[in-house]
Amino acid sequence: MAEAQWTEVVRIPFIWYGFRQTTVSVFLVVAMIMNFLMFLPFIVLHSEKLVQGIWGGFLLLFSILNALLEEMIWRGILLYRFSTFFGNQWAVWITSIGFGLQHYSLGFSWWGGCLLFSIGGYFFGAITVQSKSILPAVIWHMLFNAMMVLSGMILD
């Protein structure tokens, strides 16, 4: 895994396109805070399940392993290979759609699985390209997975 280029420029809101510029590190922090705030009402609704011991272990195991494996496959291998053939932006779009379809095949709906996970895949892919590393996407993906477990979207 290459060392992340945390000071690379990204544009807000769509990494390559947007009305403001910031760095990969600032974008990542803001995106993670926004994800947390988006999930917070659902986490509060499912807070009684957090006291059960198995949730803490599952939360850590799922969040870390799933993020590492999916990012290694989608951004580490596939994005890199598609980038050599189609360029970075097309590779991000192709892997994003595949990422969404993968989640649809796992039982998520077209809306929640395909569309929303494709949008997430776009951001994970774009931040990977801009930072020249999968590390920011892995970190963001781990937080997102944790929020999904805490909100009851996984195993509820």
Side-chain angles (χ1 to χ4, degrees), residues 68-138:
L68 279 172
L69 293 173
E70 283 190 347
E71 291 308 319
M72 284 173 40
I73 292 167
W74 288 103
R75 265 56 75 177
I77 296 170
L78 295 174
L79 178 64
Y80 171 76
R81 293 300 295 159
F82 286 138
S83 290
T84 61
F85 293 110
F86 305 113
N88 288 336
Q89 290 185 15
W90 274 107
V92 167
W93 283 110
I94 292 167
T95 57
S96 299
I97 292 167
F99 188 68
L101 289 171
Q102 174 209 356
H103 286 84
Y104 175 72
S105 74
L106 294 173
F108 286 91
S109 68
W110 273 107
W111 170 252
C114 203
L115 181 62
L116 294 179
F117 280 98
S118 291
I119 293 168
Y122 170 85
F123 282 102
F124 292 158
I127 203 77
T128 297
V129 168
Q130 289 303 103
S131 69
K132 299 169 183 59
S133 171
I134 66 169
L135 185 59
V138 169

Side-chain angles (χ1 to χ4, degrees), residues 55-68:
W55 283 95
F58 178 76
L59 172 74
L60 282 174
L61 188 65
F62 174 78
S63 297
I64 293 168
L65 285 178
N66 177 269
L68 279 172

Side-chain angles (χ1 to χ4, degrees), residues 46-55:
H46 289 86
S47 61
E48 73 278 354
K49 291 184 179 180
L50 299 179
V51 297
Q52 298 172 355
I54 193 168
W55 283 95

